[in-house]
Amino acid sequence: MSGERVKLEPSWKARIGDYLERPDMQALSAFLRAEKQAGKVIYPPGPDIFAAFDHTAFDNVRVVILGQDPYHGPNQAHGLCFSVRPGVRIPPSLQNIFKEIQRDLGIAPPDHGCLTPWADRGVLQLNAVLTVEQGNANAHQGKGWEGFTDAAIDALNREREGIVFMLWGSYAQRKGQLIDTDRHRVLKSVHPSPLSAHRGFLGCGHFSAANAYLEQHGKAPVDWSLPAKASLEAQ
């Protein structure tokens, strides 16, 4: 995996592009090529692997939502954690995220699960692992992605101030150990999965808390509403 071949968004390439040249990333690239040659289907599609960085430039990041690995069903993953393309059934965890936004901010759930508008407004939706095998959750854990996404979080932690990090579930919270809580706001909860959401995610108030923190630090709050599916598909 080479920084020359990977089209990483320029502001991110300046900070973590060199990481792509490391031996562990070369090994990851070889692994992904071998998996494809063996006939395995990898999600998301190649052009979407770095979509979180493409949509949210380094200096535009206001909020970070950390996920674990991409959805592993057909047509679901497109490079933003928890998000699916318009027209794809809204996954249960995302349904719970929308429920909490409605409870917290009074914003009605949209008729789709595409979170690209959030990304364009400064919400970095980053999975710890950026690829997965079809039908095999967590198949690419431990193959090298974790160090790369750690480098992205570390760069934000060191170079920026006043970012809100939303860490849902134990996996995201472990990754959050990189974050200086004197410089940034860290919001923790159980995962929004139906298995755990009732134990503290529903009722956490993270979306209003994030906006309050941003405003206290002279930044605009995030508009957590999403346009209707029809208007997204027309773009």
Side-chain angles (χ1 to χ4, degrees):
M1 190 169 297
S2 165
E4 292 306 308
R5 292 200 305 273
V6 172
K7 288 185 168 53
L8 199 58
E9 191 279 331
S11 68
W12 284 104
K13 186 174 182 179
R15 290 164 174 89
I16 57 175
D18 287 349
Y19 198 98
L20 294 170
E21 309 295 339
R22 289 171 47 120
D24 52 333
M25 296 303 287
Q26 303 298 325
L28 170 63
S29 183
F31 165 76
L32 292 172
R33 284 197 302 273
E35 291 289 277
K36 288 179 181 177
Q37 286 167 2
K40 294 182 180 178
V41 177
I42 306 298
Y43 296 134
D48 290 335
I49 290 174
F50 296 98
F53 303 107
D54 293 337
H55 283 279
T56 315
F58 185 85
D59 290 326
N60 293 342
V61 176
R62 292 186 284 161
V63 175
V64 177
I65 299 176
L66 277 179
Q68 192 159 345
D69 73 335
Y71 295 123
H72 54 83
N75 303 315
Q76 288 183 306
H78 65 119
L80 306 178
C81 71
F82 294 105
S83 181
V84 292
R85 293 194 181 282
V88 176
R89 189 178 68 83
I90 301 173
S93 292
L94 183 53
Q95 291 180 25
N96 284 332
I97 291 170
F98 289 155
K99 283 181 188 174
E100 176 55 19
I101 289 174
Q102 183 170 31
R103 188 210 63 81
D104 191 19
L105 298 174
I107 297 171
D111 59 352
H112 62 88
C114 181
L115 308 182
T116 301
W118 289 0
D120 294 336
R121 297 169 194 161
V123 181
L124 180 67
Q125 294 155 63
L126 184 65
N127 279 313
V129 176
L130 299 187
T131 56
V132 72
E133 178 188 337
Q134 179 178 350
N136 191 1
N138 304 322
H140 293 179
Q141 274 193 14
K143 301 298 184 183
W145 281 124
E146 291 90 343
F148 177 72
T149 52
D150 278 354
I153 294 166
D154 183 57
L156 288 170
N157 179 60
R158 287 183 292 102
E159 294 188 41
R160 296 283 311 281
E161 286 190 30
I163 292 174
V164 179
F165 289 83
M166 294 181 174
L167 308 180
W168 302 331
S170 58
Y171 189 92
Q173 289 168 23
R174 285 197 300 275
K175 206 163 178 72
Q177 293 169 357
L178 298 161
I179 302 159
D180 181 349
T181 54
D182 291 331
R183 293 166 61 89
H184 305 282
R185 180 81 163 95
V186 175
L187 300 172
K188 296 181 181 181
S189 161
V190 297
H191 196 275
S193 159
L195 298 174
S196 56
H198 62 283
R199 291 192 279 109
F201 179 81
L202 297 173
C204 68
H206 280 186
F207 301 94
S208 60
N211 280 352
Y213 177 85
L214 291 169
E215 290 185 289
Q216 288 162 10
H217 288 76
K219 300 178 182 179
V222 174
D223 175 6
W224 293 103
S225 66
L226 290 164
K229 182 176 72 170
S231 62
L232 271 182
E233 291 176 332
Q235 291 177 7

